[in-house]
Amino acid sequence: VIRCRAAVAWAVGKPLSLEEVEVAPPKAGEVRIKMVATGICHTDDCVLEGGFPNVDFPVILGHEGAGIVESVAEGVTSVKAGDKVIPLCIPHCGECSFCRNPESNYCQKCHLSEPQNLLPDKTSRFTCKGKQIHHFMWISTFAEYTVVPEYAVAKIDAAAPLDKVCLLGCGFSTGYGAAINAAKVKPGSTCAVFGLGGVGLSTVIGCKVAGASRIIAVDINKDKFAKAKELGATDCVNPKDFKKPIQDVLTDMTGHGVDYSFEVIGHADTMTAALASCNMNTGVCVMVGLVPSGSVISFDPLLLLSGRTWKGTVLGGWKAKDCIPKLVSSYLEKKFNSDLLITHTLPIAKVNEGFELLRAGKSIRSVLLF
């Protein structure tokens, strides 16, 4: 058993509490990781607000991290002690029908199919003050040490800086892949990205790398426009500056709507606006933002009948175990610069300050260091 620090969420709506926790050794098929860095993602905040399904409290959140394998248990073959790794918020068991489908990046062991509040054997490796603490997405990266199933961890290049590539565990990969994999943005096309947080700006990077000729960044926080342009946006639009709906503004700007639109906020109204803003016949709209549990969207079916495509994406369409290491290699080869998304680096003790920066719109990505 290892005693270490972790940021524990004891209840919905309460600040995280830095605690000493006990982390049990890994059981068969499991890996114990010493976390080095972890990003703060909007999804973690959604849990704290009670908007994420099937999460039991108390829980150790965090799902965008990088670390070093401390030990492995019986049966583990893909990683060994000392390996640099990224825990996978979308597992890759390699055996289910989704994992065996080359066009799918989902896994039937994913938290959207079965709860991941406990490890697969239905027990926890975390205790604090004599109480069982729940896991989150099986990876719980807000703990200095965490235990994960082997199919929820990927070995990465030993040269990778963990305080930078941790973003590839969720936020960057999700946004970048939304453009590259889900939308399959074509060279010379026009794109609109709704929401300029870490994932939205990663989408902007993806659109630029894919060769889009025009990338319209949409946000009500004009303070994010400079960063959006630095990353590749050609236009920045604040819906508050117009009296007409934003979809009409974008249609006027482009003549017939954009080729690809991305909703990276998680609001029902902006999802329908993003759909309406793309070309009525060949436009593709990708849902990227996490909508609070129980939300319902109403929309005019003619928006789809005319030919538009509306789709969602999980982790940007990447098959995690295979693709996350390749993305790390692309990072090392400077095919993209995700470092520009990191606006704050904080010690784990300032985790609540990191969430306050996120909620105030003052950060793009805060990275916590152990």
Side-chain angles (χ1 to χ4, degrees):
V1 174
I2 291 177
R3 288 176 174 81
C4 66
R5 295 168 298 162
V8 178
W10 290 100
V12 170
K14 302 290 185 183
L16 298 178
S17 178
L18 196 65
E19 306 280 6
E20 181 181 83
V21 300
E22 294 83 42
V23 184
K27 296 182 181 179
E30 296 175 356
V31 178
R32 186 158 61 180
I33 304 166
K34 177 177 173 56
M35 297 305 303
V36 172
T38 181
I40 296 178
C41 180
H42 175 71
T43 301
D44 300 309
D45 195 39
C46 194
V47 175
L48 293 175
E49 293 174 348
F52 195 89
N54 304 321
V55 175
D56 290 337
F57 287 78
V59 60
I60 296 174
L61 299 174
H63 62 284
E64 186 180 88
I68 299 168
V69 174
E70 179 271 334
S71 60
V72 301
E74 175 190 353
V76 173
T77 58
S78 64
V79 295
K80 64 182 185 305
D83 285 346
K84 285 186 176 181
V85 293
I86 288 180
L88 306 176
C89 60
I90 300 295
H92 187 161
C93 73
E95 299 173 353
C96 70
S97 62
F98 283 11
C99 281
R100 287 186 279 109
N101 181 346
E103 296 182 1
S104 165
N105 81 308
Y106 194 74
C107 175
Q108 286 171 302
K109 296 183 184 296
C110 173
H111 57 275
L112 298 175
S113 294
E114 66 175 76
Q116 293 179 355
N117 300 314
L118 299 169
L119 290 184
D121 70 349
K122 305 306 178 190
T123 63
S124 172
R125 302 292 166 271
F126 298 126
T127 54
C128 179
K129 299 177 180 176
K131 294 183 178 180
Q132 172 184 276
I133 307 297
H134 293 92
H135 293 250
F136 179 58
M137 294 188 183
W138 282 340
I139 58 178
S140 294
T141 61
F142 286 177
E144 194 171 6
Y145 286 84
T146 189
V147 177
V148 307
E150 182 183 13
Y151 44 76
V153 65
K155 179 182 176 180
I156 61 172
D157 194 307
L162 299 180
D163 61 331
K164 302 292 193 285
V165 300
C166 59
L167 300 194
L168 276 59
C170 177
F172 177 78
S173 300
T174 297
Y176 185 72
I180 302 293
N181 299 324
K184 294 181 171 59
V185 170
K186 295 176 182 175
S189 60
T190 57
C191 302
V193 179
F194 288 69
L196 302 177
V199 181
L201 290 171
S202 300
T203 307
V204 170
I205 294 173
C207 292
K208 183 181 180 182
V209 169
S213 62
R214 193 173 186 189
I215 304 168
I216 305 170
V218 182
D219 203 293
I220 59 173
N221 183 353
K222 66 181 187 303
D223 293 341
K224 296 187 175 182
F225 290 169
K227 180 68 74 172
K229 289 195 170 181
E230 181 184 5
L231 295 173
T234 56
D235 305 79
C236 293
V237 177
N238 184 343
K240 289 185 173 180
D241 292 341
F242 301 89
K243 292 183 178 178
K244 56 186 172 184
I246 187 61
Q247 57 265 38
D248 294 344
V249 173
L250 295 174
T251 299
D252 290 346
M253 290 174 68
T254 57
H256 50 69
V258 295
D259 298 307
Y260 306 96
S261 62
F262 304 86
E263 202 281 354
V264 204
I265 304 168
H267 291 167
D269 55 349
T270 44
M271 285 191 171
T272 52
L275 177 66
S277 70
C278 65
N279 183 302
M280 69 184 296
N281 182 234
T282 59
V284 176
C285 177
V286 182
M287 291 184 182
V288 190
L290 176 67
V291 182
S293 178
S295 297
V296 175
I297 296 176
S298 298
F299 70 100
D300 182 350
L302 287 175
L303 289 172
L304 293 180
L305 187 65
S306 60
R308 290 180 179 91
T309 299
W310 203 7
K311 63 194 302 186
T313 184
V314 175
L315 196 63
W318 305 106
K319 273 189 178 292
K321 194 127 181 149
D322 299 333
C323 295
I324 297 297
K326 292 177 183 176
L327 281 171
V328 171
S329 297
S330 294
Y331 166 88
L332 293 172
E333 294 162 7
K334 296 183 166 34
K335 290 186 178 177
F336 51 78
N337 187 2
S338 51
D339 293 359
L340 294 172
L341 301 171
I342 301 172
T343 53
H344 298 78
T345 301
L346 304 167
I348 185 65
K350 293 189 176 181
V351 59
N352 288 313
E353 182 179 319
F355 275 96
E356 288 165 8
L357 289 165
L358 172 71
R359 292 164 188 152
K362 294 180 179 178
S363 66
I364 294 171
R365 259 306 185 271
S366 292
V367 170
L368 302 171
L369 302 179
F370 289 95

CSV table of all heavy atoms in Angstrom, one decimal, residues 93-133:
chain,number,residue,atom,x,y,z
A,93,CYS,N,-10.1,-2.5,-24.9
A,93,CYS,CA,-9.9,-3.9,-24.5
A,93,CYS,C,-9.4,-4.8,-25.6
A,93,CYS,O,-8.8,-5.8,-25.4
A,93,CYS,CB,-11.2,-4.5,-23.9
A,93,CYS,SG,-12.5,-4.9,-25.2
A,94,GLY,N,-9.7,-4.4,-26.8
A,94,GLY,CA,-9.2,-5.2,-28.0
A,94,GLY,C,-10.1,-6.4,-28.3
A,94,GLY,O,-9.8,-7.1,-29.3
A,95,GLU,N,-11.1,-6.7,-27.5
A,95,GLU,CA,-11.8,-7.9,-27.7
A,95,GLU,C,-13.3,-7.7,-28.0
A,95,GLU,O,-13.9,-8.6,-28.7
A,95,GLU,CB,-11.8,-8.7,-26.4
A,95,GLU,CG,-10.3,-9.1,-26.0
A,95,GLU,CD,-10.3,-9.8,-24.6
A,95,GLU,OE1,-11.3,-9.8,-23.9
A,95,GLU,OE2,-9.2,-10.3,-24.2
A,96,CYS,N,-13.9,-6.6,-27.6
A,96,CYS,CA,-15.3,-6.4,-27.9
A,96,CYS,C,-15.5,-6.1,-29.4
A,96,CYS,O,-14.6,-5.8,-30.1
A,96,CYS,CB,-15.9,-5.3,-27.0
A,96,CYS,SG,-15.3,-3.6,-27.4
A,97,SER,N,-16.8,-6.2,-29.8
A,97,SER,CA,-17.1,-5.9,-31.2
A,97,SER,C,-16.7,-4.5,-31.7
A,97,SER,O,-16.3,-4.3,-32.8
A,97,SER,CB,-18.6,-6.2,-31.5
A,97,SER,OG,-19.4,-5.3,-30.8
A,98,PHE,N,-16.8,-3.6,-30.8
A,98,PHE,CA,-16.4,-2.2,-31.2
A,98,PHE,C,-14.9,-2.1,-31.4
A,98,PHE,O,-14.4,-1.5,-32.3
A,98,PHE,CB,-16.9,-1.2,-30.1
A,98,PHE,CG,-18.3,-0.9,-30.2
A,98,PHE,CD1,-19.2,-1.6,-31.0
A,98,PHE,CD2,-18.8,0.2,-29.4
A,98,PHE,CE1,-20.5,-1.3,-31.0
A,98,PHE,CE2,-20.2,0.5,-29.5
A,98,PHE,CZ,-21.0,-0.3,-30.3
A,99,CYS,N,-14.1,-2.7,-30.4
A,99,CYS,CA,-12.7,-2.6,-30.5
A,99,CYS,C,-12.2,-3.4,-31.8
A,99,CYS,O,-11.2,-3.0,-32.4
A,99,CYS,CB,-12.0,-3.2,-29.3
A,99,CYS,SG,-12.0,-2.1,-27.9
A,100,ARG,N,-12.9,-4.4,-32.2
A,100,ARG,CA,-12.5,-5.2,-33.3
A,100,ARG,C,-12.9,-4.5,-34.7
A,100,ARG,O,-12.4,-4.9,-35.7
A,100,ARG,CB,-13.0,-6.6,-33.2
A,100,ARG,CG,-12.3,-7.5,-32.2
A,100,ARG,CD,-12.7,-8.9,-32.2
A,100,ARG,NE,-13.9,-9.1,-31.4
A,100,ARG,CZ,-15.1,-9.4,-32.0
A,100,ARG,NH1,-15.2,-9.5,-33.3
A,100,ARG,NH2,-16.2,-9.6,-31.2
A,101,ASN,N,-13.8,-3.5,-34.6
A,101,ASN,CA,-14.2,-2.8,-35.8
A,101,ASN,C,-13.2,-1.7,-36.1
A,101,ASN,O,-13.0,-0.8,-35.3
A,101,ASN,CB,-15.6,-2.2,-35.5
A,101,ASN,CG,-16.1,-1.4,-36.7
A,101,ASN,OD1,-15.4,-1.2,-37.7
A,101,ASN,ND2,-17.4,-1.1,-36.7
A,102,PRO,N,-12.5,-1.8,-37.2
A,102,PRO,CA,-11.5,-0.8,-37.5
A,102,PRO,C,-12.0,0.6,-37.7
A,102,PRO,O,-11.2,1.6,-37.6
A,102,PRO,CB,-10.9,-1.3,-38.9
A,102,PRO,CG,-12.0,-2.2,-39.5
A,102,PRO,CD,-12.7,-2.8,-38.3
A,103,GLU,N,-13.3,0.8,-37.8
A,103,GLU,CA,-13.9,2.1,-38.0
A,103,GLU,C,-14.4,2.7,-36.7
A,103,GLU,O,-14.8,3.8,-36.6
A,103,GLU,CB,-15.0,2.1,-39.0
A,103,GLU,CG,-14.6,1.7,-40.4
A,103,GLU,CD,-15.7,1.8,-41.4
A,103,GLU,OE1,-16.8,2.1,-41.0
A,103,GLU,OE2,-15.4,1.5,-42.6
A,104,SER,N,-14.3,1.9,-35.6
A,104,SER,CA,-14.8,2.4,-34.3
A,104,SER,C,-13.6,2.7,-33.3
A,104,SER,O,-12.6,2.0,-33.4
A,104,SER,CB,-15.7,1.2,-33.7
A,104,SER,OG,-15.9,1.5,-32.3
A,105,ASN,N,-13.8,3.7,-32.5
A,105,ASN,CA,-12.8,3.9,-31.4
A,105,ASN,C,-13.4,3.7,-30.1
A,105,ASN,O,-12.8,4.0,-29.0
A,105,ASN,CB,-12.2,5.3,-31.6
A,105,ASN,CG,-13.1,6.4,-31.0
A,105,ASN,OD1,-14.3,6.5,-31.3
A,105,ASN,ND2,-12.5,7.2,-30.1
A,106,TYR,N,-14.7,3.3,-30.0
A,106,TYR,CA,-15.4,3.1,-28.8
A,106,TYR,C,-15.0,1.7,-28.2
A,106,TYR,O,-14.4,0.9,-28.9
A,106,TYR,CB,-16.9,3.1,-29.1
A,106,TYR,CG,-17.7,3.2,-27.8
A,106,TYR,CD1,-17.8,4.4,-27.1
A,106,TYR,CD2,-18.5,2.1,-27.4
A,106,TYR,CE1,-18.7,4.5,-26.0
A,106,TYR,CE2,-19.3,2.2,-26.3
A,106,TYR,CZ,-19.4,3.4,-25.6
A,106,TYR,OH,-20.2,3.5,-24.5
A,107,CYS,N,-15.2,1.5,-27.0
A,107,CYS,CA,-15.0,0.2,-26.3
A,107,CYS,C,-16.2,-0.1,-25.5
A,107,CYS,O,-16.7,0.8,-24.8
A,107,CYS,CB,-13.8,0.2,-25.5
A,107,CYS,SG,-13.5,-1.4,-24.6
A,108,GLN,N,-16.7,-1.3,-25.5
A,108,GLN,CA,-17.9,-1.6,-24.7
A,108,GLN,C,-17.7,-1.6,-23.2
A,108,GLN,O,-18.6,-1.7,-22.4
A,108,GLN,CB,-18.5,-2.9,-25.2
A,108,GLN,CG,-19.2,-2.8,-26.5
A,108,GLN,CD,-19.6,-4.1,-27.1
A,108,GLN,OE1,-18.8,-5.0,-27.4
A,108,GLN,NE2,-20.9,-4.3,-27.4
A,109,LYS,N,-16.4,-1.5,-22.8
A,109,LYS,CA,-16.1,-1.3,-21.4
A,109,LYS,C,-16.1,0.2,-21.0
A,109,LYS,O,-15.8,0.5,-19.8
A,109,LYS,CB,-14.8,-2.0,-21.1
A,109,LYS,CG,-14.8,-3.5,-21.3
A,109,LYS,CD,-13.4,-4.1,-20.9
A,109,LYS,CE,-13.4,-5.6,-21.2
A,109,LYS,NZ,-14.4,-6.3,-20.4
A,110,CYS,N,-16.4,1.1,-21.9
A,110,CYS,CA,-16.3,2.5,-21.7
A,110,CYS,C,-17.4,2.9,-20.6
A,110,CYS,O,-18.4,2.2,-20.5
A,110,CYS,CB,-16.6,3.2,-23.0
A,110,CYS,SG,-16.8,5.0,-22.8
A,111,HIS,N,-17.1,4.0,-20.0
A,111,HIS,CA,-18.0,4.5,-18.9
A,111,HIS,C,-19.4,4.8,-19.4
A,111,HIS,O,-20.4,4.9,-18.6
A,111,HIS,CB,-17.4,5.7,-18.2
A,111,HIS,CG,-17.1,6.8,-19.1
A,111,HIS,ND1,-16.0,6.9,-19.8
A,111,HIS,CD2,-17.9,7.9,-19.5
A,111,HIS,CE1,-16.0,8.0,-20.5
A,111,HIS,NE2,-17.1,8.6,-20.4
A,112,LEU,N,-19.6,5.0,-20.7
A,112,LEU,CA,-20.9,5.3,-21.3
A,112,LEU,C,-21.7,4.0,-21.4
A,112,LEU,O,-22.9,4.0,-21.6
A,112,LEU,CB,-20.8,5.9,-22.7
A,112,LEU,CG,-20.1,7.3,-22.7
A,112,LEU,CD1,-20.0,7.8,-24.1
A,112,LEU,CD2,-20.9,8.3,-21.8
A,113,SER,N,-21.1,2.8,-21.3
A,113,SER,CA,-21.8,1.6,-21.3
A,113,SER,C,-21.9,0.9,-20.0
A,113,SER,O,-22.9,0.2,-19.7
A,113,SER,CB,-21.0,0.6,-22.3
A,113,SER,OG,-21.1,1.1,-23.6
A,114,GLU,N,-20.8,1.0,-19.2
A,114,GLU,CA,-20.9,0.4,-17.8
A,114,GLU,C,-20.2,1.4,-16.9
A,114,GLU,O,-19.2,2.1,-17.2
A,114,GLU,CB,-20.2,-0.9,-17.8
A,114,GLU,CG,-18.8,-1.0,-18.0
A,114,GLU,CD,-18.2,-2.4,-17.9
A,114,GLU,OE1,-18.4,-3.2,-18.8
A,114,GLU,OE2,-17.5,-2.6,-16.9
A,115,PRO,N,-20.7,1.5,-15.6
A,115,PRO,CA,-20.1,2.4,-14.7
A,115,PRO,C,-18.6,2.1,-14.4
A,115,PRO,O,-18.2,0.9,-14.4
A,115,PRO,CB,-20.9,2.2,-13.4
A,115,PRO,CG,-22.2,1.6,-13.9
A,115,PRO,CD,-21.8,0.8,-15.1
A,116,GLN,N,-17.8,3.1,-14.2
A,116,GLN,CA,-16.4,2.9,-13.9
A,116,GLN,C,-16.0,3.5,-12.6
A,116,GLN,O,-15.0,4.1,-12.4
A,116,GLN,CB,-15.5,3.4,-15.0
A,116,GLN,CG,-15.7,2.6,-16.3
A,116,GLN,CD,-14.8,3.2,-17.5
A,116,GLN,OE1,-14.2,4.2,-17.3
A,116,GLN,NE2,-14.9,2.5,-18.6
A,117,ASN,N,-17.0,3.4,-11.6
A,117,ASN,CA,-16.7,4.0,-10.3
A,117,ASN,C,-15.8,3.1,-9.5
A,117,ASN,O,-15.2,3.5,-8.5
A,117,ASN,CB,-18.1,4.1,-9.5
A,117,ASN,CG,-19.0,5.1,-10.3
A,117,ASN,OD1,-18.6,6.1,-10.7
A,117,ASN,ND2,-20.3,4.7,-10.4
A,118,LEU,N,-15.8,1.8,-9.9
A,118,LEU,CA,-14.9,0.8,-9.2
A,118,LEU,C,-14.1,0.2,-10.4
A,118,LEU,O,-14.5,0.2,-11.5
A,118,LEU,CB,-15.7,-0.2,-8.5
A,118,LEU,CG,-16.6,0.4,-7.3
A,118,LEU,CD1,-17.5,-0.7,-6.8
A,118,LEU,CD2,-15.7,0.9,-6.2
A,119,LEU,N,-13.0,-0.5,-10.0
A,119,LEU,CA,-12.3,-1.2,-11.0
A,119,LEU,C,-13.1,-2.5,-11.5
A,119,LEU,O,-14.1,-2.8,-10.9
A,119,LEU,CB,-10.9,-1.6,-10.5
A,119,LEU,CG,-10.0,-0.4,-10.3
A,119,LEU,CD1,-8.6,-0.8,-9.9
A,119,LEU,CD2,-9.9,0.4,-11.6
A,120,PRO,N,-12.7,-3.1,-12.6
A,120,PRO,CA,-13.5,-4.2,-13.2
A,120,PRO,C,-13.9,-5.3,-12.2
A,120,PRO,O,-15.0,-5.9,-12.4
A,120,PRO,CB,-12.6,-4.7,-14.3
A,120,PRO,CG,-11.9,-3.5,-14.7
A,120,PRO,CD,-11.5,-2.8,-13.5
A,121,ASP,N,-13.2,-5.5,-11.1
A,121,ASP,CA,-13.6,-6.5,-10.2
A,121,ASP,C,-14.6,-6.0,-9.1
A,121,ASP,O,-14.9,-6.7,-8.2
A,121,ASP,CB,-12.4,-7.2,-9.5
A,121,ASP,CG,-11.7,-6.2,-8.5
A,121,ASP,OD1,-12.0,-5.0,-8.5
A,121,ASP,OD2,-10.8,-6.6,-7.7
A,122,LYS,N,-15.0,-4.8,-9.3
A,122,LYS,CA,-16.0,-4.1,-8.5
A,122,LYS,C,-15.5,-3.7,-7.1
A,122,LYS,O,-16.3,-3.7,-6.1
A,122,LYS,CB,-17.3,-4.9,-8.4
A,122,LYS,CG,-17.9,-5.3,-9.7
A,122,LYS,CD,-18.2,-4.1,-10.6
A,122,LYS,CE,-18.8,-4.5,-12.0
A,122,LYS,NZ,-18.8,-3.4,-12.9
A,123,THR,N,-14.2,-3.5,-7.0
A,123,THR,CA,-13.6,-3.0,-5.8
A,123,THR,C,-12.8,-1.8,-6.1
A,123,THR,O,-12.4,-1.5,-7.2
A,123,THR,CB,-12.7,-4.1,-5.1
A,123,THR,OG1,-11.6,-4.4,-5.9
A,123,THR,CG2,-13.5,-5.3,-4.8
A,124,SER,N,-12.5,-1.0,-5.0
A,124,SER,CA,-11.7,0.2,-5.2
A,124,SER,C,-10.3,0.0,-4.7
A,124,SER,O,-10.0,-0.9,-3.8
A,124,SER,CB,-12.3,1.4,-4.4
A,124,SER,OG,-11.5,2.5,-4.4
A,125,ARG,N,-9.3,0.7,-5.2
A,125,ARG,CA,-7.9,0.6,-4.7
A,125,ARG,C,-7.6,1.8,-3.8
A,125,ARG,O,-6.5,2.0,-3.3
A,125,ARG,CB,-6.9,0.6,-5.9
A,125,ARG,CG,-7.1,-0.5,-6.9
A,125,ARG,CD,-6.7,-1.9,-6.3
A,125,ARG,NE,-7.2,-2.9,-7.2
A,125,ARG,CZ,-8.5,-3.4,-7.1
A,125,ARG,NH1,-9.3,-3.0,-6.2
A,125,ARG,NH2,-8.9,-4.3,-8.0
A,126,PHE,N,-8.6,2.7,-3.7
A,126,PHE,CA,-8.4,4.0,-2.9
A,126,PHE,C,-9.2,3.9,-1.6
A,126,PHE,O,-10.4,3.5,-1.5
A,126,PHE,CB,-8.9,5.2,-3.6
A,126,PHE,CG,-8.2,5.5,-4.9
A,126,PHE,CD1,-9.0,5.6,-6.1
A,126,PHE,CD2,-6.9,5.7,-5.0
A,126,PHE,CE1,-8.4,5.9,-7.3
A,126,PHE,CE2,-6.3,6.0,-6.2
A,126,PHE,CZ,-7.0,6.1,-7.4
A,127,THR,N,-8.5,4.3,-0.5
A,127,THR,CA,-9.2,4.5,0.8
A,127,THR,C,-8.7,5.8,1.4
A,127,THR,O,-7.5,6.2,1.2
A,127,THR,CB,-9.0,3.4,1.8
A,127,THR,OG1,-7.6,3.2,2.0
A,127,THR,CG2,-9.7,2.1,1.3
A,128,CYS,N,-9.5,6.5,2.1
A,128,CYS,CA,-9.2,7.8,2.8
A,128,CYS,C,-10.0,7.9,4.1
A,128,CYS,O,-11.2,7.8,4.1
A,128,CYS,CB,-9.4,8.9,1.9
A,128,CYS,SG,-9.0,10.6,2.6
A,129,LYS,N,-9.3,8.1,5.2
A,129,LYS,CA,-9.9,8.2,6.5
A,129,LYS,C,-10.8,7.0,6.8
A,129,LYS,O,-11.9,7.2,7.3
A,129,LYS,CB,-10.7,9.5,6.6
A,129,LYS,CG,-9.9,10.8,6.4
A,129,LYS,CD,-10.7,12.0,6.4
A,129,LYS,CE,-9.9,13.3,6.2
A,129,LYS,NZ,-10.6,14.5,6.1
A,130,GLY,N,-10.4,5.9,6.3
A,130,GLY,CA,-11.1,4.6,6.6
A,130,GLY,C,-12.3,4.4,5.6
A,130,GLY,O,-13.0,3.4,5.8
A,131,LYS,N,-12.5,5.3,4.7
A,131,LYS,CA,-13.6,5.2,3.8
A,131,LYS,C,-13.1,4.8,2.4
A,131,LYS,O,-12.1,5.2,1.9
A,131,LYS,CB,-14.4,6.5,3.7
A,131,LYS,CG,-15.1,6.9,4.9
A,131,LYS,CD,-15.9,8.2,4.7
A,131,LYS,CE,-16.6,8.6,6.0
A,131,LYS,NZ,-17.4,9.9,5.8
A,132,GLN,N,-14.0,4.0,1.7
A,132,GLN,CA,-13.7,3.7,0.3
A,132,GLN,C,-13.9,4.9,-0.6
A,132,GLN,O,-14.9,5.6,-0.4
A,132,GLN,CB,-14.6,2.5,-0.2
A,132,GLN,CG,-14.5,2.3,-1.7
A,132,GLN,CD,-15.5,1.2,-2.2
A,132,GLN,OE1,-15.3,0.0,-2.1
A,132,GLN,NE2,-16.7,1.7,-2.6
A,133,ILE,N,-12.9,5.2,-1.5
A,133,ILE,CA,-13.1,6.3,-2.4
A,133,ILE,C,-13.3,5.7,-3.8
A,133,ILE,O,-12.6,4.7,-4.2
A,133,ILE,CB,-11.8,7.2,-2.4
A,133,ILE,CG1,-11.5,7.6,-1.0
A,133,ILE,CG2,-12.0,8.4,-3.3
A,133,ILE,CD1,-12.6,8.5,-0.3
